[in-house]
Amino acid sequence: MLLESVAYARPETVDQALEMLSSTDGAAPLAGGQSLINVLKHRVASIELLVDISRLEELRTVQDRPDGTLEIGACVTYDELEHSEPARAAHAVLADVAGHIEDQQIRNRGTVGGNCCLSDPTNNLPPILVALGATMNIQSAGGVREVPAEEFFEGYFTTAVGEGELLRSITVPPLPAGGGAGYSTVAVGADSKALVRAAAMVRADGQIEDARVVLACVAPAPFRHTGMEGALRGSEATAAAVREASLVIGEDLSPPGDVHASADYRREMARVVARRSVWQAIEQGGGRRG
Amino acid sequence: MTPNGVTAETVTRPAEPTEEVGQWAGQSVPRVEDRRLVQGQGEFTDDVWMHRQGYAHFVRSPLAHAKITSLDVSRALALDGVFTVLTGEEAREMCSLPFFQIAPEPAGKIEEWPLAVDKVRYHGDAVAVVLAETREIARDAAGLVEVDYEPLPAIVDTVRSADPDAPVLHEQVGSNVAWKGTYDWGDIDWALQNADNVVKIDRLHFHRFSSTPLECNAAVVHWDPGTDTVNVRSNNQMPMFASMVIGPTLGVASNRLIFASQDIGGAFGVKIGSYPQIAALALLSRKAGRPAKWTEYRTDHMLSAGQGNERVFLDTEVAVLKDGSILGFKTRAFDDAGAYLHYEPLGAVIWSQVCCGCYKLKHIRVDYTETLTNKCPTIPNRGYSRLQHLWFLERMIDIVARELGFDPVELRKRNYVQPGDYPYETPNGCVYDSGDLPRSLDMALDLIGAERWRERQRALGTGSGKRIGIGIGSTLDSGTNNFGQARIINPQLPFSGNGEAAYVKLDLYGEINVNLGTTPQGQSHETTAAQVVADVLGVKPRDVHVTAGFNQQQNTYVAFSGTYASQFAVTGLGAVKGAAERLREEIIELGAYALEAQPEEIELRDGACTVRDDPERMIPLIGIANIVYSNNAVLTPEMRDRLSLNARYVYTPPFHVPDPEAKTGNLTLTYASQIHACVVELDEESGEVEILDYAAVDDCGTRIHPQIVEGQVHGATALGIGAALYEAFEYDEQGQLQQASFYDYHAITSLDAPDIKVADIESPSPFTLNGAKGMGEGGGAPLHAICSAIQDALGPDDAVVSESHNTSERVWRLVHSGERGDPRGVTVSTRDSSE
């Protein structure tokens, strides 16, 4: 549809892509295009050159290492991640999140890297990647640098990926012994606006040993709620204790309010999704008390 | 019996087509339209291409209410590829008159032109339109039209817009009141004095939404200077209405204003409203000397194509006897028509087709005010004007049940019109034709297994974080309007009755061809018309060719022609049947003549006339056609003069002119019913609503094609669920539309919709030729059923469900309203029995 006139290139290698991105003003990588094309359609961004990286094989694989670490190429689609056996074996919750992004047509095209690099605060994958302690591998002509997911998402539509750089892959460490992950969203309808999301990774054995609780949609970027994490650590792995811990979430949040939900509601729901995700993580890890 | 206790006969199954002649109506034969549609061979308006056509794009106001202080098109015109730009002022100069207004004065003084002139009145109001070589250039050029606005205060609240000090949209009207009147039937004052209980409900609000058809509006308009005709290829669904409104404005006679359409991708009433754009495109074409093609963008559609009516009911009082008999109610209704009156203020009377809903209410007073606001104009949307009122009535019933401790099922059954009451005359003179509401309700409750859910609800108790609610929506889909009801709005309007035309002919080699006055949008008129004709003429449906779509120069029509307001099965197929019967008489007469027999001896079947008991004497339809078309010297001069094998018939329902003073009359011919039941689960901590079970029981009289009926039931159900939970058009205080794309307007999809259990009753209408009743719109039953179920799940101290749109947040607030001590919005006064 109605894009402004834009040049298009399809490099053969990541190096070529990087060369194009760094040598052309206004160049931007195009992967699945599920957000970028809409952005162009609405003319809220002006791009001179689309560098299509979606067919670069080196970015399109999901690999598991002997130590259980998962490496997901940036151009792996949601559908591929959902159905990837290594991903499902190592991180079923991550595969499920990918499998619930919008609808099948979008999952066939949208990519993991695109979901992360757009850094829309309501996007599905960033909170779970932060919760799982993933590492984002950013490539430039000079090599690859590693950035923890926690630091990667900087704010509304901004990430640690700089000029002349490209997200190459995401490394997700294995769940620790006794660890589990959880994810929860309150949204409009089945596949529309997310109002608030939470993702969690919890290590428990009757008692919560460690917890990472990430909230999204309520701030410019997903973030760990260290207050709730602290409240969880050392408490019993029971629903009541999780509920109690979630109560520390509240006035510290300044979520947006809009036609879909008020800031008050999003704040309240942050507690709700936080405890749901934590409880799911405890259940998945088999660490609940009793 | 099914596990839910529903007998097999009541559950719809796809009927296996049989080959028995004379029995095609009633079977779910394969749809004729499907082949071309699934193979991408349909022809939608955007598929139409005309030589030298340009592409149009409208320039729309970003503000809700503002004076246009300057409008400069020079930058747009300078863009390479732009043919021309038409401004509002130029359009006015080219027009003979403003658009005809249905409203009486003072709102009748509204001057609406094809494009806004001097000021804009809503976010999305069109001020100019560009014609260019490509769609892209047209859109770019539209962005270069420079408009300076002087903002004016906006009014978006329908109740406040009626205040004398509210900002006025149309200065010549003097206020924002589009129409105001009191409907007063029976004696509500007496009823309220003599009721054992009076339930007062402060405020109920029915929200704005639309059907968002898959295909937006589109038109290719050519003002042909060679023939001085205006050709309109469009997806407008009521072209005769459009023609009658824009013809005088453009100064074009109706025989030179030619509407045509083939396939239409959904309309739902909304596509009645594309006539202002079509008028602007005609002028644009005239100015440019080229055809103007326009395919609306979704955001343009949402901003300006028309939205459903929003209505507020204030200070409702319901008179109830001890035994649960409801005597009647009074209320003050405010309906928000938006910035211009498109088809409005007809909504101010159309609700009264169902003034008492499914119930035997005798005393009704409604003070009705329709107002103008700085919002997109409303346009009839599936269930037009009745669903708002039916929602109000169903909320009323549930609230009465809750406040006075009645079982909502028993209260409904006690007050329903009973099977023995038909034909039932309502307090305003409408006549309900047939039905069985109590049995429909029982079937719906059986389908969801209501008893089982009641037990689950009780067992759930408190502390689980979940609540279960069971809800009912009882509705009527009134079909085949008596247009005389327009006189209740404006006694000067020379409208009454209704009708539809059809044309059936035997062609050169004995083929049968049908054409219709309708503009179907997925309702399978080709399929069902062929079924009806096949039965009359003794052939198979595949032997009957129904011309796809509508073309004013080829098809027959009346002023009411089109596809809207749940009436094709009655009016359209009534016309088809009448025309086919006229043709049959000619065929039999000719057959008798050719076979030297008496007409009574002729049987018409298997494509031939045969003498009864003497099958050797037979003439096929090709022979009949031969006689008239190419062998007419064999006929007598009188027969040659009279017989043409071309039959036209206009079906007209048996209506009288309503009484505008008393506001009474038979306003619609048929009353289909939809009784829905559902089960929802509310999450206490989030307010999320999950539909656990859903059933729809439909009674639209004799069904011509059960599967097509069922498809429309599913569609209406999905739309209603979407509206109840997700879909809304809301404006901020400045009049900015908050949901102008599918990012923000969550139209329901299959991911949201529950499995829908469907069953039916067929109560034939005694008033129609084929026993059928209009259907398709539904009465918004899912809105009622879901609100009812949410209400059922709430606690006794919680507020009543007073909004038709219930987001998770709204439900969450309701779930906790009792704890917070929020006002409940309802009070009960009980008459002292010692009085």
PDB file of all heavy atoms in Angstrom, chain A residues 2 38 41 43 190-192 260-262 265 269 275-276, chain B residues 136 139-140 297 683 685-686 688 730 743-744 746 752 809:
ATOM      1  N   LEU A   2       0.279   2.292   0.136  1.00  0.00           N
ATOM      2  CA  LEU A   2       0.822   3.621   0.002  1.00  0.00           C
ATOM      3  C   LEU A   2       2.091   3.972   0.757  1.00  0.00           C
ATOM      4  O   LEU A   2       2.063   4.782   1.664  1.00  0.00           O
ATOM      5  CB  LEU A   2      -0.256   4.563   0.490  1.00  0.00           C
ATOM      6  CG  LEU A   2      -1.367   4.765  -0.488  1.00  0.00           C
ATOM      7  CD1 LEU A   2      -2.417   5.653   0.098  1.00  0.00           C
ATOM      8  CD2 LEU A   2      -0.827   5.394  -1.746  1.00  0.00           C
ATOM      9  N   ASN A  38       3.890  -1.083   8.368  1.00  0.00           N
ATOM     10  CA  ASN A  38       2.794  -0.241   8.863  1.00  0.00           C
ATOM     11  C   ASN A  38       3.292   1.156   9.230  1.00  0.00           C
ATOM     12  O   ASN A  38       2.603   2.143   9.006  1.00  0.00           O
ATOM     13  CB  ASN A  38       2.121  -0.883  10.074  1.00  0.00           C
ATOM     14  CG  ASN A  38       1.182  -1.998   9.648  1.00  0.00           C
ATOM     15  OD1 ASN A  38       0.624  -1.956   8.565  1.00  0.00           O
ATOM     16  ND2 ASN A  38       1.021  -2.988  10.495  1.00  0.00           N
ATOM     17  N   LYS A  41       3.594   2.906   6.088  1.00  0.00           N
ATOM     18  CA  LYS A  41       2.265   3.193   5.566  1.00  0.00           C
ATOM     19  C   LYS A  41       1.688   4.441   6.222  1.00  0.00           C
ATOM     20  O   LYS A  41       1.066   5.276   5.576  1.00  0.00           O
ATOM     21  CB  LYS A  41       1.351   2.000   5.873  1.00  0.00           C
ATOM     22  CG  LYS A  41       0.571   1.501   4.707  1.00  0.00           C
ATOM     23  CD  LYS A  41      -0.083   0.171   5.029  1.00  0.00           C
ATOM     24  CE  LYS A  41      -1.253   0.310   5.963  1.00  0.00           C
ATOM     25  NZ  LYS A  41      -1.842  -1.007   6.296  1.00  0.00           N
ATOM     26  N   ARG A  43       3.450   6.683   7.545  1.00  0.00           N
ATOM     27  CA  ARG A  43       4.398   7.779   7.295  1.00  0.00           C
ATOM     28  C   ARG A  43       4.835   8.458   8.585  1.00  0.00           C
ATOM     29  O   ARG A  43       5.000   9.667   8.629  1.00  0.00           O
ATOM     30  CB  ARG A  43       3.786   8.789   6.327  1.00  0.00           C
ATOM     31  CG  ARG A  43       3.415   8.106   5.022  1.00  0.00           C
ATOM     32  CD  ARG A  43       2.970   9.045   3.957  1.00  0.00           C
ATOM     33  NE  ARG A  43       2.810   8.316   2.703  1.00  0.00           N
ATOM     34  CZ  ARG A  43       2.549   8.875   1.556  1.00  0.00           C
ATOM     35  NH1 ARG A  43       2.405  10.170   1.467  1.00  0.00           N
ATOM     36  NH2 ARG A  43       2.422   8.140   0.468  1.00  0.00           N
ATOM     37  N   ALA A 190      -8.596 -11.235  22.086  1.00  0.00           N
ATOM     38  CA  ALA A 190      -7.634 -12.330  22.032  1.00  0.00           C
ATOM     39  C   ALA A 190      -6.294 -11.897  21.455  1.00  0.00           C
ATOM     40  O   ALA A 190      -5.261 -12.458  21.806  1.00  0.00           O
ATOM     41  CB  ALA A 190      -8.211 -13.468  21.199  1.00  0.00           C
ATOM     42  N   ASP A 191      -6.282 -10.913  20.587  1.00  0.00           N
ATOM     43  CA  ASP A 191      -5.038 -10.600  19.888  1.00  0.00           C
ATOM     44  C   ASP A 191      -4.860  -9.113  19.669  1.00  0.00           C
ATOM     45  O   ASP A 191      -4.220  -8.698  18.734  1.00  0.00           O
ATOM     46  CB  ASP A 191      -5.013 -11.321  18.535  1.00  0.00           C
ATOM     47  CG  ASP A 191      -6.122 -10.842  17.613  1.00  0.00           C
ATOM     48  OD1 ASP A 191      -7.088 -10.245  18.116  1.00  0.00           O
ATOM     49  OD2 ASP A 191      -6.009 -11.047  16.397  1.00  0.00           O
ATOM     50  N   SER A 192      -5.476  -8.316  20.521  1.00  0.00           N
ATOM     51  CA  SER A 192      -5.371  -6.877  20.306  1.00  0.00           C
ATOM     52  C   SER A 192      -4.503  -6.242  21.379  1.00  0.00           C
ATOM     53  O   SER A 192      -3.674  -6.899  21.985  1.00  0.00           O
ATOM     54  CB  SER A 192      -6.780  -6.282  20.263  1.00  0.00           C
ATOM     55  OG  SER A 192      -6.740  -5.019  19.677  1.00  0.00           O
ATOM     56  N   HIS A 260      -8.207   2.556  26.170  1.00  0.00           N
ATOM     57  CA  HIS A 260      -8.367   1.124  26.449  1.00  0.00           C
ATOM     58  C   HIS A 260      -8.388   0.815  27.942  1.00  0.00           C
ATOM     59  O   HIS A 260      -9.002  -0.156  28.368  1.00  0.00           O
ATOM     60  CB  HIS A 260      -7.250   0.332  25.779  1.00  0.00           C
ATOM     61  CG  HIS A 260      -7.201   0.571  24.311  1.00  0.00           C
ATOM     62  ND1 HIS A 260      -8.196   0.173  23.473  1.00  0.00           N
ATOM     63  CD2 HIS A 260      -6.281   1.207  23.541  1.00  0.00           C
ATOM     64  CE1 HIS A 260      -7.905   0.537  22.236  1.00  0.00           C
ATOM     65  NE2 HIS A 260      -6.764   1.175  22.253  1.00  0.00           N
ATOM     66  N   ALA A 261      -7.675   1.609  28.715  1.00  0.00           N
ATOM     67  CA  ALA A 261      -7.653   1.383  30.162  1.00  0.00           C
ATOM     68  C   ALA A 261      -7.038   2.596  30.840  1.00  0.00           C
ATOM     69  O   ALA A 261      -6.147   3.244  30.277  1.00  0.00           O
ATOM     70  CB  ALA A 261      -6.834   0.135  30.497  1.00  0.00           C
ATOM     71  N   SER A 262      -7.493   2.846  32.045  1.00  0.00           N
ATOM     72  CA  SER A 262      -6.932   3.948  32.807  1.00  0.00           C
ATOM     73  C   SER A 262      -5.582   3.539  33.386  1.00  0.00           C
ATOM     74  O   SER A 262      -5.243   2.355  33.458  1.00  0.00           O
ATOM     75  CB  SER A 262      -7.887   4.313  33.944  1.00  0.00           C
ATOM     76  OG  SER A 262      -7.938   3.235  34.871  1.00  0.00           O
ATOM     77  N   TYR A 265      -6.146   1.298  36.408  1.00  0.00           N
ATOM     78  CA  TYR A 265      -6.421  -0.109  36.093  1.00  0.00           C
ATOM     79  C   TYR A 265      -5.129  -0.829  35.703  1.00  0.00           C
ATOM     80  O   TYR A 265      -4.859  -1.934  36.170  1.00  0.00           O
ATOM     81  CB  TYR A 265      -7.441  -0.197  34.964  1.00  0.00           C
ATOM     82  CG  TYR A 265      -7.798  -1.618  34.564  1.00  0.00           C
ATOM     83  CD1 TYR A 265      -8.564  -2.424  35.400  1.00  0.00           C
ATOM     84  CD2 TYR A 265      -7.350  -2.149  33.352  1.00  0.00           C
ATOM     85  CE1 TYR A 265      -8.895  -3.727  35.028  1.00  0.00           C
ATOM     86  CE2 TYR A 265      -7.675  -3.445  32.978  1.00  0.00           C
ATOM     87  CZ  TYR A 265      -8.446  -4.226  33.816  1.00  0.00           C
ATOM     88  OH  TYR A 265      -8.766  -5.522  33.452  1.00  0.00           O
ATOM     89  N   MET A 269      -3.589  -4.010  37.478  1.00  0.00           N
ATOM     90  CA  MET A 269      -3.381  -5.237  36.713  1.00  0.00           C
ATOM     91  C   MET A 269      -1.911  -5.652  36.697  1.00  0.00           C
ATOM     92  O   MET A 269      -1.592  -6.821  36.507  1.00  0.00           O
ATOM     93  CB  MET A 269      -3.899  -5.087  35.277  1.00  0.00           C
ATOM     94  CG  MET A 269      -5.412  -5.019  35.176  1.00  0.00           C
ATOM     95  SD  MET A 269      -6.278  -6.317  36.108  1.00  0.00           S
ATOM     96  CE  MET A 269      -6.907  -5.355  37.474  1.00  0.00           C
ATOM     97  N   ARG A 275       1.629 -11.595  39.744  1.00  0.00           N
ATOM     98  CA  ARG A 275       1.472 -12.803  40.552  1.00  0.00           C
ATOM     99  C   ARG A 275       1.081 -14.013  39.706  1.00  0.00           C
ATOM    100  O   ARG A 275       1.503 -15.130  40.003  1.00  0.00           O
ATOM    101  CB  ARG A 275       0.545 -12.588  41.733  1.00  0.00           C
ATOM    102  CG  ARG A 275      -0.830 -12.087  41.453  1.00  0.00           C
ATOM    103  CD  ARG A 275      -1.503 -11.799  42.816  1.00  0.00           C
ATOM    104  NE  ARG A 275      -2.829 -11.280  42.659  1.00  0.00           N
ATOM    105  CZ  ARG A 275      -3.190 -10.038  43.046  1.00  0.00           C
ATOM    106  NH1 ARG A 275      -2.327  -9.222  43.590  1.00  0.00           N
ATOM    107  NH2 ARG A 275      -4.426  -9.644  42.880  1.00  0.00           N
ATOM    108  N   ARG A 276       0.321 -13.760  38.653  1.00  0.00           N
ATOM    109  CA  ARG A 276       0.002 -14.897  37.787  1.00  0.00           C
ATOM    110  C   ARG A 276       1.273 -15.472  37.150  1.00  0.00           C
ATOM    111  O   ARG A 276       1.430 -16.687  37.056  1.00  0.00           O
ATOM    112  CB  ARG A 276      -0.954 -14.457  36.670  1.00  0.00           C
ATOM    113  CG  ARG A 276      -2.379 -14.232  37.148  1.00  0.00           C
ATOM    114  CD  ARG A 276      -3.250 -13.795  35.973  1.00  0.00           C
ATOM    115  NE  ARG A 276      -4.620 -13.512  36.408  1.00  0.00           N
ATOM    116  CZ  ARG A 276      -5.541 -12.962  35.629  1.00  0.00           C
ATOM    117  NH1 ARG A 276      -5.238 -12.636  34.379  1.00  0.00           N
ATOM    118  NH2 ARG A 276      -6.757 -12.746  36.084  1.00  0.00           N
TER     119      ARG A 276
ATOM    120  N   GLU B 136      -1.902   6.932  -4.838  1.00  0.00           N
ATOM    121  CA  GLU B 136      -0.806   7.437  -4.019  1.00  0.00           C
ATOM    122  C   GLU B 136      -0.651   8.946  -4.200  1.00  0.00           C
ATOM    123  O   GLU B 136      -0.506   9.690  -3.235  1.00  0.00           O
ATOM    124  CB  GLU B 136       0.499   6.712  -4.386  1.00  0.00           C
ATOM    125  CG  GLU B 136       0.536   5.243  -4.010  1.00  0.00           C
ATOM    126  CD  GLU B 136      -0.296   4.330  -4.911  1.00  0.00           C
ATOM    127  OE1 GLU B 136      -0.738   4.781  -5.995  1.00  0.00           O
ATOM    128  OE2 GLU B 136      -0.513   3.171  -4.529  1.00  0.00           O
ATOM    129  N   ARG B 139      -3.433  10.797  -2.509  1.00  0.00           N
ATOM    130  CA  ARG B 139      -3.282  10.912  -1.056  1.00  0.00           C
ATOM    131  C   ARG B 139      -2.198  11.931  -0.715  1.00  0.00           C
ATOM    132  O   ARG B 139      -2.354  12.739   0.192  1.00  0.00           O
ATOM    133  CB  ARG B 139      -2.944   9.557  -0.428  1.00  0.00           C
ATOM    134  CG  ARG B 139      -3.086   9.603   1.087  1.00  0.00           C
ATOM    135  CD  ARG B 139      -2.963   8.245   1.730  1.00  0.00           C
ATOM    136  NE  ARG B 139      -1.579   7.922   2.032  1.00  0.00           N
ATOM    137  CZ  ARG B 139      -1.195   7.177   3.062  1.00  0.00           C
ATOM    138  NH1 ARG B 139      -2.094   6.655   3.886  1.00  0.00           N
ATOM    139  NH2 ARG B 139       0.060   6.913   3.273  1.00  0.00           N
ATOM    140  N   ASP B 140      -1.103  11.875  -1.470  1.00  0.00           N
ATOM    141  CA  ASP B 140      -0.045  12.856  -1.217  1.00  0.00           C
ATOM    142  C   ASP B 140      -0.575  14.277  -1.425  1.00  0.00           C
ATOM    143  O   ASP B 140      -0.303  15.171  -0.626  1.00  0.00           O
ATOM    144  CB  ASP B 140       1.141  12.617  -2.163  1.00  0.00           C
ATOM    145  CG  ASP B 140       1.930  11.371  -1.780  1.00  0.00           C
ATOM    146  OD1 ASP B 140       1.714  10.874  -0.660  1.00  0.00           O
ATOM    147  OD2 ASP B 140       2.743  10.904  -2.594  1.00  0.00           O
ATOM    148  N   TYR B 297     -10.116   4.311   2.542  1.00  0.00           N
ATOM    149  CA  TYR B 297      -9.203   3.702   3.509  1.00  0.00           C
ATOM    150  C   TYR B 297      -9.960   3.400   4.791  1.00  0.00           C
ATOM    151  O   TYR B 297     -10.951   4.033   5.114  1.00  0.00           O
ATOM    152  CB  TYR B 297      -8.057   4.658   3.833  1.00  0.00           C
ATOM    153  CG  TYR B 297      -7.027   4.716   2.740  1.00  0.00           C
ATOM    154  CD1 TYR B 297      -7.119   5.623   1.706  1.00  0.00           C
ATOM    155  CD2 TYR B 297      -5.961   3.819   2.743  1.00  0.00           C
ATOM    156  CE1 TYR B 297      -6.189   5.653   0.695  1.00  0.00           C
ATOM    157  CE2 TYR B 297      -5.019   3.841   1.739  1.00  0.00           C
ATOM    158  CZ  TYR B 297      -5.141   4.766   0.709  1.00  0.00           C
ATOM    159  OH  TYR B 297      -4.220   4.780  -0.289  1.00  0.00           O
ATOM    160  N   ASP B 683     -13.419 -12.776  35.943  1.00  0.00           N
ATOM    161  CA  ASP B 683     -12.268 -12.868  36.823  1.00  0.00           C
ATOM    162  C   ASP B 683     -12.329 -11.672  37.765  1.00  0.00           C
ATOM    163  O   ASP B 683     -12.313 -10.521  37.316  1.00  0.00           O
ATOM    164  CB  ASP B 683     -10.982 -12.846  35.988  1.00  0.00           C
ATOM    165  CG  ASP B 683      -9.763 -13.090  36.845  1.00  0.00           C
ATOM    166  OD1 ASP B 683      -9.313 -12.136  37.515  1.00  0.00           O
ATOM    167  OD2 ASP B 683      -9.295 -14.234  36.864  1.00  0.00           O
ATOM    168  N   GLU B 685     -10.272 -10.377  39.879  1.00  0.00           N
ATOM    169  CA  GLU B 685      -9.149  -9.453  40.052  1.00  0.00           C
ATOM    170  C   GLU B 685      -8.822  -8.668  38.795  1.00  0.00           C
ATOM    171  O   GLU B 685      -8.178  -7.641  38.866  1.00  0.00           O
ATOM    172  CB  GLU B 685      -7.910 -10.147  40.615  1.00  0.00           C
ATOM    173  CG  GLU B 685      -7.404 -11.298  39.821  1.00  0.00           C
ATOM    174  CD  GLU B 685      -6.173 -11.942  40.461  1.00  0.00           C
ATOM    175  OE1 GLU B 685      -5.905 -11.685  41.645  1.00  0.00           O
ATOM    176  OE2 GLU B 685      -5.493 -12.704  39.755  1.00  0.00           O
ATOM    177  N   SER B 686      -9.285  -9.116  37.629  1.00  0.00           N
ATOM    178  CA  SER B 686      -8.982  -8.379  36.398  1.00  0.00           C
ATOM    179  C   SER B 686     -10.222  -7.881  35.670  1.00  0.00           C
ATOM    180  O   SER B 686     -10.109  -7.034  34.784  1.00  0.00           O
ATOM    181  CB  SER B 686      -8.188  -9.267  35.443  1.00  0.00           C
ATOM    182  OG  SER B 686      -9.002 -10.325  34.973  1.00  0.00           O
ATOM    183  N   GLU B 688     -11.736  -9.603  33.564  1.00  0.00           N
ATOM    184  CA  GLU B 688     -11.793 -10.279  32.261  1.00  0.00           C
ATOM    185  C   GLU B 688     -13.034 -11.160  32.186  1.00  0.00           C
ATOM    186  O   GLU B 688     -13.393 -11.821  33.170  1.00  0.00           O
ATOM    187  CB  GLU B 688     -10.545 -11.140  32.053  1.00  0.00           C
ATOM    188  CG  GLU B 688      -9.279 -10.320  31.874  1.00  0.00           C
ATOM    189  CD  GLU B 688      -8.021 -11.173  32.007  1.00  0.00           C
ATOM    190  OE1 GLU B 688      -7.791 -11.720  33.114  1.00  0.00           O
ATOM    191  OE2 GLU B 688      -7.288 -11.296  31.010  1.00  0.00           O
ATOM    192  N   GLU B 730     -15.195   6.014  20.579  1.00  0.00           N
ATOM    193  CA  GLU B 730     -15.280   6.996  21.665  1.00  0.00           C
ATOM    194  C   GLU B 730     -14.525   8.259  21.268  1.00  0.00           C
ATOM    195  O   GLU B 730     -13.493   8.192  20.611  1.00  0.00           O
ATOM    196  CB  GLU B 730     -14.680   6.393  22.943  1.00  0.00           C
ATOM    197  CG  GLU B 730     -15.506   5.223  23.453  1.00  0.00           C
ATOM    198  CD  GLU B 730     -14.747   4.307  24.398  1.00  0.00           C
ATOM    199  OE1 GLU B 730     -13.785   3.654  23.950  1.00  0.00           O
ATOM    200  OE2 GLU B 730     -15.095   4.256  25.576  1.00  0.00           O
ATOM    201  N   TYR B 743      -6.003  -0.773  14.965  1.00  0.00           N
ATOM    202  CA  TYR B 743      -5.102  -0.852  16.123  1.00  0.00           C
ATOM    203  C   TYR B 743      -5.885  -0.633  17.414  1.00  0.00           C
ATOM    204  O   TYR B 743      -5.625  -1.256  18.429  1.00  0.00           O
ATOM    205  CB  TYR B 743      -4.016   0.222  16.032  1.00  0.00           C
ATOM    206  CG  TYR B 743      -2.862  -0.130  15.131  1.00  0.00           C
ATOM    207  CD1 TYR B 743      -2.629   0.580  13.966  1.00  0.00           C
ATOM    208  CD2 TYR B 743      -1.991  -1.167  15.469  1.00  0.00           C
ATOM    209  CE1 TYR B 743      -1.569   0.261  13.133  1.00  0.00           C
ATOM    210  CE2 TYR B 743      -0.927  -1.486  14.644  1.00  0.00           C
ATOM    211  CZ  TYR B 743      -0.717  -0.772  13.476  1.00  0.00           C
ATOM    212  OH  TYR B 743       0.329  -1.087  12.665  1.00  0.00           O
ATOM    213  N   ASP B 744      -6.809   0.312  17.331  1.00  0.00           N
ATOM    214  CA  ASP B 744      -7.522   0.704  18.549  1.00  0.00           C
ATOM    215  C   ASP B 744      -8.951   0.206  18.599  1.00  0.00           C
ATOM    216  O   ASP B 744      -9.552   0.155  19.666  1.00  0.00           O
ATOM    217  CB  ASP B 744      -7.509   2.233  18.683  1.00  0.00           C
ATOM    218  CG  ASP B 744      -6.113   2.748  18.974  1.00  0.00           C
ATOM    219  OD1 ASP B 744      -5.459   2.176  19.871  1.00  0.00           O
ATOM    220  OD2 ASP B 744      -5.680   3.691  18.310  1.00  0.00           O
ATOM    221  N   HIS B 746     -11.008  -2.857  18.254  1.00  0.00           N
ATOM    222  CA  HIS B 746     -10.802  -4.304  18.157  1.00  0.00           C
ATOM    223  C   HIS B 746     -12.067  -4.976  17.649  1.00  0.00           C
ATOM    224  O   HIS B 746     -12.937  -5.352  18.426  1.00  0.00           O
ATOM    225  CB  HIS B 746     -10.390  -4.879  19.503  1.00  0.00           C
ATOM    226  CG  HIS B 746     -10.196  -6.370  19.452  1.00  0.00           C
ATOM    227  ND1 HIS B 746      -9.231  -6.951  18.662  1.00  0.00           N
ATOM    228  CD2 HIS B 746     -10.856  -7.382  20.034  1.00  0.00           C
ATOM    229  CE1 HIS B 746      -9.313  -8.269  18.776  1.00  0.00           C
ATOM    230  NE2 HIS B 746     -10.293  -8.555  19.601  1.00  0.00           N
ATOM    231  N   ASP B 752     -11.736 -14.554  19.155  1.00  0.00           N
ATOM    232  CA  ASP B 752     -12.512 -14.096  20.313  1.00  0.00           C
ATOM    233  C   ASP B 752     -13.855 -14.812  20.429  1.00  0.00           C
ATOM    234  O   ASP B 752     -14.406 -14.914  21.521  1.00  0.00           O
ATOM    235  CB  ASP B 752     -12.824 -12.596  20.176  1.00  0.00           C
ATOM    236  CG  ASP B 752     -11.585 -11.737  20.088  1.00  0.00           C
ATOM    237  OD1 ASP B 752     -10.804 -11.765  21.052  1.00  0.00           O
ATOM    238  OD2 ASP B 752     -11.402 -11.046  19.081  1.00  0.00           O
ATOM    239  N   GLU B 809     -11.845  -3.439  32.255  1.00  0.00           N
ATOM    240  CA  GLU B 809     -11.769  -2.446  33.337  1.00  0.00           C
ATOM    241  C   GLU B 809     -13.153  -2.102  33.866  1.00  0.00           C
ATOM    242  O   GLU B 809     -13.345  -2.000  35.083  1.00  0.00           O
ATOM    243  CB  GLU B 809     -11.075  -1.164  32.861  1.00  0.00           C
ATOM    244  CG  GLU B 809     -11.075  -0.093  33.958  1.00  0.00           C
ATOM    245  CD  GLU B 809     -10.200   1.114  33.676  1.00  0.00           C
ATOM    246  OE1 GLU B 809      -9.545   1.150  32.618  1.00  0.00           O
ATOM    247  OE2 GLU B 809     -10.181   2.009  34.538  1.00  0.00           O
TER     248      GLU B 809
END
